[in-house]
Amino acid sequence: MKIAEAAARSGLSIDTIRFYERSGLLPPIARGSDGMRRFSPETADWLRLLASLRETGMELRAMRRFAELYRQGDATIPERRRMLQEHAANLELRRAALDRCAALLAHKLQRYSEIEGG
Amino acid sequence: MKIAEAAARSGLSIDTIRFYERSGLLPPIARGSDGMRRFSPETADWLRLLASLRETGMELRAMRRFAELYRQGDATIPERRRMLQEHAANLELRRAALDRCAALLAHKLQRYSEIEGG
DNA sequence: TACCGCCCTTGAGCGGCTCCAGATCAAGCG
DNA sequence: CGCTTGATCTGGAGCCGCTCAAGGGCGGTA
């Protein structure tokens, strides 16, 4: 598939995909005879994973490290597992932050109601 | 209180607080005779709110707008309410993204276990 | 008096995109 | 066949939100 479809499937922008390629986050991307990138389904899945990790706050540096380990094969699974577990723990912190913010907003909104209502 | 305490209480860094002041997100900050910023408890609370909004993805532009409305008094409460409601809706989207990522990670981690275990 | 710690300002640097200009190529159309 | 349209390409500039470094001042302690 071409870059537009890869973008649509992953949720990343076309520019971001090119930026990720430059940044060493992607496997080698084949080119058609027209010089344009052709994404395999596997790479599209990889983009979806990257999008999900990034959207939840993983840094590019860590994603680059993860990509590098992935390239090196199954022997790196223990370290990859550690990275994903660490990120999973991170998700909990983010969820807690959302909860705190939601509570704060609920409180503020209620105060607004009181001011307007009374 | 001085800036270090305001930072500790809000969770923002000292540099970020100064940056927010420059960016028009804060009310005027008093200075002591030594030239140093003195934060009132109210401003410290405001910093906590900003930190919470920012941590959950509100853009500085929106926060600046909110600060501006706040400065203009109670007449702007309807618009402020709309802004906070919009952000609250945003929190739900972020929560959903966290959930999707958590599910993806659980799936990946399980596959790692299978590869390593078998 | 010398040092330490906290604060100040200015300005540069960085991470992560995002956008723009100018060029190329394929397909569709009169 | 030439022309336009649309998707892609590259290189480079620009933007947002910090973050850090340099150089300096003030106040307290040994």
Side-chain angles (χ1 to χ4, degrees):
Chain A
M1 76 194 73
K2 292 200 271 182
I3 199 167
E5 192 180 342
R9 289 199 187 185
S10 65
L12 296 171
S13 76
I14 289 177
D15 272 330
T16 298
I17 292 175
R18 290 199 276 246
F19 170 69
Y20 281 4
E21 187 190 14
R22 250 178 287 140
S23 304
L25 272 60
L26 307 187
I29 308 295
R31 298 287 181 130
S33 57
D34 54 2
M36 292 178 188
R37 292 173 184 81
R38 290 303 140 88
F39 293 82
S40 69
E42 291 71 32
T43 302
D45 286 349
W46 179 250
L47 286 173
R48 278 176 55 87
L49 173 60
L50 291 186
S52 194
L53 293 174
R54 187 71 199 92
E55 183 179 29
T56 55
M58 185 181 280
E59 296 178 3
L60 287 212
R61 205 181 329 155
M63 286 162 56
R64 184 152 42 233
R65 174 77 182 139
F66 189 76
E68 197 182 306
L69 292 170
Y70 188 90
R71 250 179 273 128
Q72 292 169 18
D74 284 3
T76 65
I77 284 183
E79 184 166 355
R80 279 189 267 156
R81 182 215 292 278
R82 248 174 281 125
M83 289 188 73
L84 296 192
Q85 280 170 341
E86 188 185 329
H87 189 63
N90 224 296
L91 297 186
E92 292 311 306
L93 298 181
R94 284 175 190 272
R95 198 185 306 277
L98 290 183
D99 290 346
R100 281 195 307 276
C101 187
L104 201 53
L105 292 185
H107 180 75
K108 290 260 168 200
L109 287 168
Q110 190 182 342
R111 282 197 34 234
Y112 287 166
S113 293
E114 287 166 15
I115 293 172
E116 285 195 314
Chain B
M1 76 194 73
K2 292 198 270 181
I3 199 168
E5 192 180 343
R9 289 199 187 184
S10 65
L12 297 171
S13 76
I14 289 177
D15 272 333
T16 298
I17 292 175
R18 290 200 275 246
F19 170 69
Y20 281 5
E21 186 189 16
R22 250 178 288 141
S23 303
L25 272 60
L26 307 188
I29 309 294
R31 300 284 181 131
S33 57
D34 53 4
M36 294 179 187
R37 292 172 183 82
R38 291 302 140 88
F39 293 82
S40 69
E42 291 71 33
T43 303
D45 287 349
W46 179 250
L47 285 173
R48 278 175 55 88
L49 173 60
L50 292 186
S52 193
L53 293 174
R54 187 69 200 95
E55 181 178 30
T56 56
M58 184 181 282
E59 295 179 2
L60 287 211
R61 203 182 332 153
M63 285 163 54
R64 185 153 39 235
R65 174 77 180 137
F66 188 76
E68 196 182 309
L69 292 170
Y70 187 89
R71 247 178 276 129
Q72 291 168 20
D74 284 3
T76 65
I77 284 183
E79 185 167 353
R80 279 189 266 157
R81 182 215 295 278
R82 250 175 279 125
M83 290 188 72
L84 296 191
Q85 280 169 341
E86 189 186 327
H87 190 63
N90 224 296
L91 297 186
E92 292 311 307
L93 298 180
R94 283 172 191 272
R95 199 185 307 275
L98 290 183
D99 289 346
R100 282 194 308 276
C101 187
L104 201 54
L105 292 185
H107 181 73
K108 290 262 167 198
L109 287 169
Q110 190 181 345
R111 282 198 34 233
Y112 288 166
S113 293
E114 286 165 17
I115 293 172
E116 286 195 313

